[in-house]
Amino acid sequence: FGLRDYKGGRPPRPKSNTAPVIDTTPFNPGLWRVTVSKLKLEQSRFFLDDPDTKADGPGLFDETHMDVTGIDLDVRDAVIKGDTLTADLRLLRGRERCGLEIKKMKAKVKVSPNIAECKELLLQTGNSTLTNYYAMRYERFPDFTDYITKVIMVGNLEQSEVGMQDIVYFAPDLARFKNISVRVSGKGRGTVDKLKVTDLALNDGLTQVKGDLYMNGLPEIESTFIDFQKGEVRTNGAAAFLYVPELRKQTAVDLGSLSNVVVTGRFTGFISDFVTYGTLQSNLGNAKADLHLKFPAKALPSYSGSLATDNMDVGRLFKLGFMGKVSLDASVKGHGFDAATASVDVDGTVKAIELNGYNYHNLKVDGNLQAKKFDGQLSARDPNLVMDFDGKIDFT
């Protein structure tokens, strides 16, 4: 079965200020009741095509050029009553032209002019498995022509797994993550561009994430606003390479030294410009932060806010041979993480800092650290150093 939607050839009509009339005639106005006890289809095809436009390239889903082949369908106890169809979907499978494959789908299905619902859902694709519940709510069927902004998705996923390749068919900007597979559970509601998920739990094999998530702006991930609350993340430094492989090229931060990281807190903003608040526990020490970070495409990363550390091995993390563990409570503002190019303004108290093999205590700092040089004011009340200093220190 197919539809080809040709552009009409009727001459243009004069513009009218009257809004177009939408046909709201109900489906099945005679209230017929139709029951089908069993329906099976094998190796069928459905296509929807717009011959006046060019289809998107291979690997991309195009709602104006759909073509699903190899459709097998097994439906039991289908009932049409009024404007609503209900059925026991025992099997649905097929393959769309973009490459998306439905290997097996089964559910208790309901379709009406305002909702398409799947209870007791099992959906297996070439890369994913979803279970439990999914529904799409809409004002009228034509809303599906603007699925991203008009169709409200409602889901309750349990013990599910999402292969990112299945997302890439619809959001090609995420292609860099296509080899990632994530176990997921949670309760979600919203459109693609405004989606909220509560009780979210994600596990990609290296990182476990829990919390409540709101995203506004998908599928353009770079411009998507993200608000992640009640967050708990368990990960390690190497996991960052999975999502930002470019970090392998940088030599300033030894991410591999972070073998065990637990972060609790909140993340608000965009991938490259965000505010984060929370606590960090790791094998290199602990920290608390309330920071605004920016990662511009063609400039050094910048940061500002408050930071407190407890025996954090800063020297090992940032590959600074002259520095060891640091315990501080300070306001920071700066840019860059490489000791050769970074510039950081620090104003606060350093409870302890290891420098060139000695552990100094009780330092008050107000100055700038740049290119392994300090410029500012420093007061020390250490057993081996009592001083008030205003000047420069060269750590090279």
Side-chain angles (χ1 to χ4, degrees):
F1 177 83
L3 290 172
R4 289 190 174 92
D5 188 10
Y6 292 93
K7 183 179 180 180
R10 182 180 59 201
R13 293 180 176 179
K15 291 184 178 180
S16 172
N17 295 326
T18 304
V21 178
I22 299 174
D23 185 358
T24 58
T25 303
F27 171 70
N28 191 18
L31 299 181
W32 282 65
R33 180 183 177 95
V34 180
T35 300
V36 179
S37 60
K38 182 178 180 180
L39 172 64
K40 296 191 73 173
L41 299 176
E42 295 180 351
Q43 291 300 301
S44 299
R45 177 189 178 198
F46 168 80
F47 66 86
L48 175 63
D49 189 38
D50 179 2
D52 296 312
T53 62
K54 184 178 180 180
D56 288 340
L60 299 178
F61 179 80
D62 184 343
E63 68 273 13
T64 61
H65 296 274
M66 293 176 56
D67 193 352
V68 187
T69 57
I71 298 175
D72 292 337
L73 181 70
D74 186 354
V75 176
R76 308 294 173 92
D77 302 322
V79 177
I80 298 175
K81 184 178 180 181
D83 62 2
T84 301
L85 180 149
T86 59
D88 180 6
L89 178 63
R90 301 285 183 88
L91 173 66
L92 171 64
R93 58 176 166 236
R95 183 181 182 89
E96 213 279 324
R97 58 171 285 276
C98 68
L100 178 65
E101 180 181 10
I102 298 176
K103 290 186 173 181
K104 181 179 181 181
M105 177 178 173
K106 55 188 298 187
K108 305 293 185 183
V109 175
K110 174 183 177 181
V111 180
S112 79
N114 303 113
I115 186 174
E117 181 183 58
C118 294
K119 296 181 178 179
E120 300 177 27
L121 171 67
L122 171 63
L123 172 60
Q124 294 177 336
T125 71
N127 305 282
S128 307
T129 299
L130 306 180
T131 62
N132 196 10
Y133 179 86
Y134 180 71
M136 295 174 290
R137 297 181 178 272
Y138 39 87
E139 292 186 6
R140 56 194 185 96
F141 283 118
D143 286 349
F144 279 91
T145 62
D146 189 5
Y147 188 91
I148 300 295
T149 64
K150 290 187 177 180
V151 177
I152 298 174
M153 304 175 293
V154 182
N156 183 10
L157 301 182
E158 297 178 355
Q159 298 179 341
S160 298
E161 184 166 356
V162 176
M164 290 302 296
Q165 175 58 56
D166 288 339
I167 306 298
V168 171
Y169 292 127
F170 303 91
D173 288 346
L174 302 180
R176 63 187 300 176
F177 308 127
K178 65 180 181 180
N179 295 322
I180 297 175
S181 182
V182 182
R183 292 190 294 276
V184 57
S185 62
K187 300 175 183 177
R189 182 183 179 90
T191 57
V192 172
D193 66 332
K194 294 181 180 179
L195 181 63
K196 184 176 182 180
V197 183
T198 58
D199 300 325
L200 175 66
L202 303 173
N203 188 337
D204 64 10
L206 294 175
T207 302
Q208 297 85 48
V209 178
K210 296 181 179 180
D212 295 339
L213 177 66
Y214 172 72
M215 302 181 76
N216 186 337
L218 286 175
E220 286 75 25
I221 188 64
E222 295 295 334
S223 60
T224 295
F225 175 79
I226 302 171
D227 187 13
F228 182 54
Q229 302 185 40
K230 302 178 184 177
E232 178 182 307
V233 180
R234 295 178 179 272
T235 186
N236 57 61
F241 302 140
L242 189 63
Y243 296 94
V244 190
E246 295 87 351
L247 290 175
R248 295 184 182 275
K249 299 178 182 179
Q250 65 85 31
T251 59
V253 183
D254 184 8
L255 290 173
S257 65
L258 289 167
S259 60
N260 183 26
V261 179
V262 179
V263 181
T264 57
R266 179 174 178 174
F267 174 106
T268 303
F270 305 87
I271 284 182
S272 58
D273 185 351
F274 60 89
V275 174
T276 181
Y277 170 81
T279 62
L280 178 147
Q281 296 175 304
S282 77
N283 59 299
L284 296 186
N286 304 327
K288 292 183 179 180
D290 185 355
L291 295 172
H292 180 193
L293 294 98
K294 295 183 179 181
F295 293 87
K298 297 182 180 181
L300 292 174
S302 63
Y303 37 86
S304 62
S306 62
L307 177 66
T309 65
D310 182 14
N311 283 321
M312 176 66 71
D313 197 341
V314 175
R316 182 180 175 187
L317 180 61
F318 292 103
K319 300 181 180 180
L320 303 175
F322 65 91
M323 185 180 295
K325 296 181 179 180
V326 179
S327 297
L328 63 79
D329 189 350
S331 298
V332 296
K333 182 178 181 179
H335 59 262
F337 295 108
D338 190 328
T341 57
S343 176
V344 187
D345 294 324
V346 182
D347 182 7
T349 301
V350 181
K351 301 175 183 177
I353 181 171
E354 293 179 357
L355 292 173
N356 291 325
Y358 180 77
N359 194 13
Y360 294 91
H361 291 80
N362 302 319
L363 310 178
K364 290 188 179 298
V365 181
D366 184 3
N368 175 266
L369 183 64
Q370 183 176 4
K372 298 184 179 180
K373 295 180 177 66
F374 174 80
D375 185 358
Q377 297 177 345
L378 172 68
S379 65
R381 297 297 182 265
D382 182 82
N384 288 304
L385 178 64
V386 177
M387 66 177 292
D388 291 292
F389 175 86
D390 187 354
K392 297 181 180 181
I393 303 174
D394 189 340
F395 292 109
T396 59

